[in-house]
Amino acid sequence: MGYSDGSSVIREPVLADSQMPNTPFLRNCWYIAAATEEVTSAPMARRIAGERMVLYRTVGGAPVALIDECCHRGVPLHLGTVIDDSIQCAYHGFTFDPSGACIRVPSQKSPPPNARVRSFHVLERHGWVWVWPGARTPDPLLVPDFSEADGKGWTVTRGVLTYQAEYQHVVDNILDLSHVSFVHRSTFGSDDALAALSFKEIDGILHGVRAAPPMPTPPLYRRLGFSEQIRQTKEMIYIAPCHVKAPITTFDLSNVGGTENEDMPRQVTLCILNSPTPETAKTCHYFWASARNFDLGDETLTSLLREQTIKAFQEDQLIIEAEQRSRDEGFRGGFAVRADMGGRMARRILSRRLEQEAGDSPRVESNLANASRGSANPTASSLPMANYRSDGIC
Ligand code: FES
Ligand SMILES: [Fe+2]
């Protein structure tokens, strides 16, 4: 279950570029497509897992997601106009209802019976609009529990950044918190290199805990009034393909010896919700929310945390995009250490899901991929694999 030998280095075979393709996209799953407030009665374009989508709201406020290609000559529908619950193409006025059916062709009496565009399942939860690109019937219960973002007992701030990098590199980054003391030295940076690290897969969900011994209080927590030493437990809950809930619980310690102060047993949790939705094979929309369970009404603190969180994600962005460029330029090496365990186990889970998906409905998925130009849908077997054990020991 745990990982006991902190000095171990796990050598992996050198992988040629042909063995390190871009991460394939899982299709039968929920992805965050947009923040609730982004989707309005004005059509917006967004590419999700390779699919060009147009998003808008009906008169009643329901979100709609259609493929962003008119079935007549392929003009993007987001250039058109929403009329009542439907969207009218900007070129010749073909009009499509929320199911994708063409209900009007202005140049003739009635539309051809087979004229339609693809529609996607869509729902709204936790302040985001989610889409399901796959052919299988979606299960709303498969939306990750990001209920901290609902704001009951939590103060929430959120945003989205576009990274010029494969989404799985972002997942690797979130699951490998050993980068925090380097990349986030000026913000959340905590010197917890000696933290105990364990990962365990339960029912296809990866649970990780990084429990750090007493350490100097990082800059942000000093600004929150913490004393000179803290202890931190960072949890990571990964749900394939790209969702990671990461509650960070910080305990204030009273002295250099690391004894918890009975008179000031301060303990706070900052829960970071991460969802780097793949856009293309090499870009992603990194949706995030930061929820805290302390000082709920302190607006100055909200602004500070928002500013620091965005700064931290930009720090990640700089590094992850640099990693992507290096890979694009032919980086062929690479080996894993203890801290890479979470990312490797997550890739294993994703690989299994892709294999299942390919086995479930290869013909339907392949037809859909063909019908959705611009989407990448490589086979599961193209994922780089490593040697794993289900107990989390590489
Ligand atoms: S391209 Fe859309 S109506 Fe002609
Ligand atoms: Fe980071």
Side-chain angles (χ1 to χ4, degrees):
M1 171 180 354
Y3 193 96
S4 56
D5 182 3
S7 65
S8 291
V9 172
I10 300 93
R11 277 276 170 196
E12 289 185 326
V14 173
L15 299 173
D17 264 4
S18 60
Q19 295 169 284
M20 289 283 288
N22 297 307
T23 308
F25 302 135
L26 198 66
R27 303 178 67 79
N28 289 294
C29 62
W30 292 107
Y31 289 105
I32 297 181
T36 283
E37 63 274 12
E38 284 186 283
V39 183
T40 67
S41 58
M44 69 170 279
R46 184 147 286 166
R47 190 185 286 264
I48 305 293
E51 301 280 12
R52 296 162 65 203
M53 298 187 189
V54 56
L55 301 164
Y56 69 90
R57 283 188 196 277
T58 64
V59 174
V64 176
L66 302 175
I67 199 152
D68 195 15
E69 286 176 353
C70 176
C71 66
H72 182 211
R73 297 179 70 88
V75 167
L77 288 174
H78 77 266
L79 299 175
T81 309
V82 173
I83 300 173
D84 298 328
D85 290 348
S86 302
I87 187 163
Q88 184 177 65
C89 179
Y91 199 176
H92 311 98
F94 280 39
T95 304
F96 304 91
D97 72 11
S99 76
C102 181
I103 55 170
R104 183 163 179 256
V105 172
S107 56
Q108 62 187 47
K109 212 169 177 180
S110 59
N114 56 350
R116 62 177 303 114
V117 294
R118 187 172 171 214
S119 66
F120 299 92
H121 294 283
V122 59
L123 60 72
E124 204 153 12
R125 192 170 295 173
H126 306 320
W128 290 291
V129 173
W130 304 70
V131 295
W132 176 282
R136 288 216 311 256
T137 306
D139 183 349
L141 294 176
L142 294 180
V143 173
D145 174 15
F146 279 0
S147 51
E148 291 84 357
D150 294 338
K152 293 174 192 129
W154 300 82
T155 295
V156 183
T157 181
R158 68 178 81 217
V160 60
L161 294 157
T162 299
Y163 278 20
Q164 302 299 310
E166 184 185 318
Y167 79 97
Q168 200 64 32
H169 295 328
V170 181
V171 173
D172 291 342
N173 168 275
I174 300 163
L175 294 177
D176 169 16
L177 294 172
S178 71
H179 77 274
V180 172
S181 52
F182 299 95
V183 177
H184 307 306
R185 207 185 300 269
S186 66
T187 50
F188 296 91
S190 51
D191 185 12
D192 58 358
L194 296 176
L197 179 66
S198 68
F199 279 95
K200 190 173 187 181
E201 185 189 328
I202 304 170
D203 297 332
I205 294 175
L206 185 63
H207 298 257
V209 180
R210 186 177 178 84
M215 61 178 146
T217 305
L220 176 67
Y221 287 91
R222 282 181 183 266
R223 291 171 79 171
L224 297 182
F226 277 72
S227 58
E228 289 177 3
Q229 276 216 321
I230 58 161
R231 182 165 62 79
Q232 260 186 347
T233 301
K234 298 168 179 167
E235 293 171 70
M236 295 148 274
I237 301 153
Y238 166 76
I239 301 163
C242 59
H243 315 295
V244 186
K245 181 189 288 203
I248 303 167
T249 302
T250 303
F251 305 85
D252 199 348
L253 302 178
S254 64
N255 57 48
V256 291
T259 306
E260 285 182 46
N261 185 346
E262 294 296 329
D263 300 320
M264 192 180 63
R266 192 167 182 210
Q267 170 185 333
V268 301
T269 298
L270 189 62
C271 185
I272 313 290
L273 304 165
N274 307 271
S275 201
T277 298
E279 179 188 38
T280 66
K282 291 185 181 178
T283 58
C284 62
H285 310 287
Y286 187 176
F287 293 95
W288 61 268
S290 161
R292 71 174 193 270
N293 69 355
F294 55 97
D295 301 342
L296 299 183
D298 185 340
E299 290 179 15
T300 307
L301 179 57
T302 302
S303 301
L304 171 68
L305 280 174
R306 178 175 180 77
E307 172 205 307
Q308 294 282 302
T309 305
I310 291 172
K311 189 175 170 199
F313 286 141
Q314 288 169 340
E315 290 167 342
D316 285 322
Q317 181 173 18
L318 200 73
I319 291 289
I320 294 169
E321 290 184 351
E323 177 190 359
Q324 181 73 56
R325 285 194 298 276
S326 186
R327 290 180 185 278
D328 291 347
E329 287 180 19
F331 170 71
R332 285 175 165 75
F335 57 85
V337 296
R338 184 181 77 123
D340 296 307
M341 180 167 50
R344 298 172 78 205
M345 290 181 75
R347 284 174 184 260
R348 170 90 172 187
I349 291 170
L350 178 59
S351 228
R352 222 170 43 225
R353 289 281 304 275
L354 284 159
E355 282 166 11
Q356 282 166 1
E357 190 165 276
D360 277 357
S361 54
R363 199 160 54 86
V364 173
E365 289 302 326
S366 146
N367 289 344
L368 283 171
N370 290 338
S372 307
R373 285 172 289 285
S375 74
N377 194 23
T379 59
S381 59
S382 62
L383 257 189
M385 293 295 293
N387 295 322
Y388 303 92
R389 282 167 50 178
S390 61
D391 56 6
I393 300 176
C394 299

